[in-house]
Amino acid sequence: MTRKSSATTPVTVTAGPGAGIALGALGVLAFSMSLPATRVAVHALDPWFVAFGRAVGAALLAWAYLRLTGAPRPTRDQWRRLSIVALGVVVGFPLFTSLALTTQTSAHGAVVVTVLPAMTAVFAVLRAGERPPPLFWIASATGLALLLAFLAAGGSLRGALSTADVFLLAAVVLCGLGYAEGGRLARELGGARTICWALLLSLPVTAPVTAVAALAHRPDGGVAAWTGFGYLAVVSMFLGFFAWYAGLARGGIATVGQIQLVQPVLTLIWSAVLLGEAVTPGALVVAGAVLACVVLIQRTRGGATPARAPGRPASSGRDGAGHAGDVRVADEVS
């Protein structure tokens, strides 16, 4: 990695809403198999090894990517914000979902993850200063209500809150924070560099925990377990974020984040295909209704409009203070 400069040089690009939506959808598709893959992996491997080992594997890929692209180092402020990304998506979400799915099914996990788009939108307001219009919140709430009603009718929702549910809720809160901060930071670093630097920043924590977990419980899984682990490291923890963070940066964190409303239904489908869990025929009907809500959300373009600082020009600001369609990103915006 080059030492020519300690800061990433930004360039102004036109952030097309269509490109942001397409990239976000690609990221959601990659993430939709994360819970089934985690469920398969933790069935034979220690959950701590799965949670932190996947981050170590992804960090090695990140180091190679940054080395090959000659990426300049982030600034001090960017390192601080990268620590928030790392806490949310590199450590928090993988750890708590791995612990939860040792006793719960991936279908049940999909129920709790349903609230992730709403949590991302909340942090988009708190961290990125976005101001979605009322129609955005109405469409988001409608999509969430449809999913919860479908899952409740299918018997996935029950009154008791188990320890696994607490883990899943903690995962959702931390992930929403990591998504919002990462999407905001990707306007400066690009989607790929954001997750790569966050993975490397986490390595002093993830590598020792992985080693201890491996020594405490020898990793001895079959083909299925290691395939699930490999998917988590390469796709869920690495490649998926290339598209996801680039999509959040281009299309607006709150707006693109709501594409994840379709992720629980996709996860249920993957759970049925890969794990043999039953999916009712009504899933297709609900998926269509939720998709309609997502389309409506994408038409509320205000969801991609960050708040503008008083007296500041619309086209300025590396933190997303400019108008929609003109954001700062790095040389590489993938």
Side-chain angles (χ1 to χ4, degrees), residues 108-211:
H108 183 89
V111 176
V112 183
V113 173
T114 299
V115 302
L116 179 54
M119 189 61 61
T120 301
V122 169
F123 281 115
V125 172
L126 296 177
R127 296 293 304 173
E130 295 189 357
R131 296 294 181 266
L135 182 60
F136 168 91
W137 296 109
I138 293 172
S140 300
T142 301
L144 176 61
L146 285 170
L147 278 171
L148 291 177
F150 163 68
L151 294 168
S156 296
L157 291 180
R158 293 172 175 80
L161 188 66
S162 64
T163 302
D165 290 324
V166 174
F167 285 151
L168 287 168
L169 287 172
V172 166
V173 173
L174 290 172
C175 192
L177 174 61
Y179 280 172
E181 193 65 33
R184 176 184 173 218
L185 192 53
R187 294 171 180 152
E188 304 169 24
L189 298 176
R193 291 178 184 175
T194 296
I195 188 60
C196 285
W197 284 120
L199 285 164
L200 289 185
L201 180 62
S202 306
L203 200 55
V205 174
T206 57
V209 174
T210 301

Side-chain angles (χ1 to χ4, degrees), residues 8 32 37 64 80 87 89 153 159 162 201 208 235 251 256 264 266 269 272 287 291 307:
T8 299
S32 66
R80 178 184 61 80
L87 173 65
V89 303
S162 64
L201 180 62
V235 180
V256 174
L266 291 175
I269 294 173
L291 182 59

